Amino acid sequence: MTSKYVTDIGLEVHVELATRTKIFCACSTRFGGRMNAHTCPVCTGQPGALPVLNKKVVEYAIAVGLATNCTISPISKFDRKNYYYPDNPQNYQISQLYLPICREGAVTIQTPKGKKQIRIGEIHMEEDAGKLLHDANANTSLIDYNRAGVPLIEIVSMPDMQDATEVIAFLEVLYDTISYLGVSDCKLNEGSMRVDINLSVRREGTETKGTRTEMKNLNSFRAISRAIEAERERQIAILERGEQVLLETRRWDDAKGASHGMRSKEEASDYRYFPEPDLVPLVIAEEWIAEIKSAQPEFRQEKRNRFMTEYELSGYDATLLTESRALSDFFEQVTAYCHNPKRVSNYLMGEGMRLIRERGIELKQLPFTAEHMGELLVLVDEGTITQNVAKELFEKLFDGDFEPRSYVMEQGLSCVSDTLELEKVIAGVIAENPQAVEDYRNGKQKAIGALMGKIMQQTKGKAAPDVVLPLLKSLLVL
Ligand code: ZN
Ligand code: MN
């Protein structure tokens, strides 16, 4: 029955901007901190306090607008959105309704059916609200205004998405773009990116969109997928019964796997918007826009393609290495030293990622320089050390930086490829492991692995495998 229906989904995505100070005052935007420590008369809505616009917020909003192919409005204005809620000390939110800063953009997503354009209606700037903390035991609610006045941009898409896969692809493009710009960390689970879903269904073949519902603040891809699926089915069931979908805001309860109606959806007129009288209209010079545009980074898709051609990496490697700008930058810095992109990629994606996870650190907290990682890999490339030794030294770099080349010399970790010296070790291993030798001579190829292991053990991993293996084989058949 569901195949007779088409789903139309549009998103409103709030993104917290990573400015140092709030949008209309000089209070810190730092997450956490003692409750209400980052507040002042402006962000707590004291009578007579006046907002002053943070220029960085405008710069970041323009940067996101340009990266999502929007037109930047030469004149934009702020408006008051009036509503009462205890986390909103002014009883209004300063937002933009009539003249938002960015309009009519679009991004391209990759779907199972190919590329698709998702239009962006507008991007506007606004302030965040505080946080309510409900203490059920004490039957009390507390308010923390540290978040009040933290800058947000709201990205409003057109209802161009048809299912959860497209929604997630769209959010991933936003994530890649915004985090590459460095204007937000876009963490869904920490609330620096919050997604509201507007969804409606219509019978296949009809053009007019159905009545939509809105689900607010979904904070994981899983919750988004489940909420979309459940809401689509709920609306279809209503239409199948011959009833009408109500225009309303619903809350998705991910634990229950169901949503419930909260309130009838408000329209702009419910908020009695009017131009913000405490702020002048914002006139944006073309030179400033050009300046922001010229400072835009290479974005993930371009970078991924360049990595495949310039470094001859597979699509898989290039995709992983460009997951964050920091990772791709580090990769390029290391490669600049050792000129072996494939090896750098292998070490970073394999041992590197494992150690980063194990130590619970972030890439920017690596205790060693790209130069020293590069030097270590050069030692492998030129045959000075074995992969075994390199892996040990790589792990050691995570304990603290050192110069790999001089360390290898001091500690005598160079490869042993001296045939006479190796022959002695091999002869000893053969004498001590008669069973394995017997097995090999009887045709058990695997037995050679055990012997190699013993040789590596005795040489502390320094024996050059390409020298040892033929030598061992020749001694075994004697
Ligand atoms: Zn403040
Ligand atoms: Mn908003």
Side-chain angles (χ1 to χ4, degrees):
M1 124 193 149
T2 53
S3 62
K4 292 186 297 184
Y5 291 89
V6 180
T7 313
D8 298 302
I9 307 167
L11 301 184
E12 289 165 27
V13 184
H14 286 89
V15 177
E16 256 180 21
L17 298 179
T19 53
R20 228 168 27 78
T21 56
K22 294 184 178 181
I23 183 168
F24 299 123
C25 63
C27 291
S28 167
T29 54
R30 202 147 36 80
F31 184 78
R34 192 165 47 83
M35 275 171 86
N36 297 304
H38 308 149
T39 57
C40 73
V42 174
C43 57
T44 50
Q46 308 294 315
L50 290 171
V52 177
L53 178 60
N54 181 343
K55 189 176 177 185
K56 208 70 188 167
V57 173
V58 183
E59 182 190 318
Y60 283 0
I62 294 173
V64 175
L66 290 172
T68 52
N69 307 299
C70 289
T71 306
I72 310 301
S73 315
I75 299 178
S76 99
K77 288 203 295 192
F78 286 95
D79 303 291
R80 278 192 187 180
K81 179 180 184 180
N82 296 283
Y83 69 97
Y84 170 77
Y85 202 68
D87 64 6
N88 168 25
Q90 298 164 140
N91 286 340
Y92 57 82
Q93 177 194 33
I94 303 180
S95 181
Q96 297 191 297
L97 178 72
Y98 303 107
L99 290 171
I101 181 131
C102 312
R103 271 185 296 196
E104 286 163 8
V107 298
T108 306
I109 61 166
Q110 195 67 50
T111 77
K113 288 177 228 145
K115 286 190 197 311
K116 183 173 175 181
Q117 288 263 311
I118 307 297
R119 290 169 300 156
I120 289 172
E122 65 169 75
I123 301 176
H124 60 255
M125 300 178 281
E126 59 187 30
E127 55 186 337
D128 208 345
K131 251 184 207 161
L132 283 173
L133 298 120
H134 304 291
D135 185 342
N137 294 326
N139 201 17
T140 304
S141 289
L142 301 169
I143 307 175
D144 180 5
Y145 288 125
N146 282 351
R147 201 179 64 181
V150 166
L152 296 175
I153 49 172
E154 182 175 336
I155 303 165
V156 184
S157 89
M158 301 304 276
D160 290 346
M161 289 158 273
Q162 253 80 55
D163 57 34
T165 316
E166 293 185 5
V167 167
I168 287 167
F170 175 72
L171 290 170
E172 278 173 342
V173 170
L174 288 188
Y175 172 87
D176 286 343
T177 308
I178 296 170
S179 59
Y180 260 67
L181 282 168
V183 306
S184 173
D185 59 13
C186 292
K187 287 186 179 157
L188 268 177
N189 58 341
E190 288 179 16
S192 49
M193 185 164 170
R194 289 169 241 157
V195 181
D196 303 343
I197 296 175
N198 287 295
L199 184 151
S200 63
V201 298
R202 62 184 147 96
R203 276 181 198 280
E204 207 156 44
T206 53
E207 285 301 315
T208 328
K209 300 263 191 301
T211 305
R212 72 187 192 280
T213 60
E214 182 181 31
M215 291 181 286
K216 281 190 181 293
N217 290 331
L218 290 140
N219 61 5
S220 73
F221 283 165
R222 180 173 175 271
I224 289 167
S225 304
R226 281 161 38 99
I228 287 172
E229 206 39 56
E231 183 57 14
R232 169 184 153 81
E233 275 167 23
R234 193 188 69 87
Q235 290 189 15
I236 290 171
I238 291 172
L239 297 181
E240 285 288 310
R241 288 198 301 270
E243 294 167 16
Q244 286 194 333
V245 174
L246 284 177
L247 180 70
E248 63 179 353
T249 301
R250 301 183 64 84
R251 184 183 295 286
W252 172 253
D253 184 335
D254 202 44
K256 288 200 185 115
S259 65
H260 57 265
M262 279 165 67
R263 52 174 189 260
S264 67
K265 168 114 184 82
E266 37 320 274
E267 296 289 299
S269 60
D270 293 328
Y271 288 111
R272 300 298 188 271
Y273 277 95
F274 63 85
E276 169 57 51
D278 290 338
L279 289 164
V280 293
L282 192 60
V283 179
I284 294 162
E286 254 177 65
E287 297 82 66
W288 195 30
I289 298 175
E291 205 179 294
I292 297 169
K293 184 151 189 95
S294 69
Q296 300 245 298
E298 177 186 32
F299 287 105
R300 190 177 183 184
Q301 277 314 314
E302 302 162 59
K303 198 182 285 262
R304 181 180 171 274
N305 294 339
R306 180 168 64 80
F307 275 20
M308 289 169 69
T309 50
E310 189 176 331
Y311 300 120
E312 293 174 352
L313 293 172
S314 66
Y316 178 77
D317 284 9
T319 301
L320 289 179
L321 285 169
T322 53
E323 201 162 80
S324 75
R325 204 173 144 187
L327 180 61
S328 61
D329 286 348
F330 193 74
F331 163 80
E332 291 203 278
Q333 285 160 13
V334 179
T335 304
Y337 281 100
C338 78
H339 310 291
N340 188 339
K342 185 64 194 161
R343 198 186 297 288
V344 178
S345 171
N346 288 345
Y347 268 74
L348 270 182
M349 303 323 308
E351 294 293 292
M353 283 302 133
R354 179 180 71 78
L355 289 162
I356 282 173
R357 259 197 308 275
E358 218 172 86
R359 313 253 164 152
I361 55 172
E362 287 188 46
L363 194 74
K364 59 173 185 264
Q365 298 169 302
L366 285 183
F368 55 87
T369 61
E371 183 179 0
H372 286 161
M373 178 170 170
E375 193 176 298
L376 178 69
L377 300 187
V378 167
L379 291 170
V380 181
D381 276 339
E382 64 189 24
T384 305
I385 56 173
T386 61
Q387 292 268 15
N388 284 327
V389 170
K391 282 195 177 136
E392 268 172 44
L393 293 185
F394 188 44
E395 179 150 8
K396 202 172 157 51
L397 277 173
F398 278 78
D399 297 329
D401 206 5
F402 58 87
E403 270 205 331
R405 187 176 291 277
S406 38
Y407 186 84
V408 162
M409 297 310 148
E410 279 161 27
Q411 304 287 318
L413 295 173
S414 303
C415 257
V416 181
S417 48
D418 179 322
T419 324
L420 274 178
E421 199 178 322
L422 286 174
E423 269 182 10
K424 256 186 266 171
V425 178
I426 295 170
V429 167
I430 287 177
E432 286 156 24
N433 298 278
Q435 187 58 55
V437 173
E438 183 70 21
D439 288 349
Y440 178 75
R441 287 180 175 149
N442 288 333
K444 262 199 192 167
Q445 291 289 326
K446 265 200 248 162
I448 207 156
L451 295 168
M452 281 294 283
K454 299 276 183 202
I455 295 162
M456 285 302 168
Q457 221 170 40
Q458 292 206 5
T459 58
K460 300 203 175 66
K462 294 185 293 180
D466 51 337
V467 182
V468 174
L469 194 60
L471 216 51
L472 173 61
K473 281 186 179 167
S474 70
L475 290 174
L476 277 172
V477 293
L478 277 181

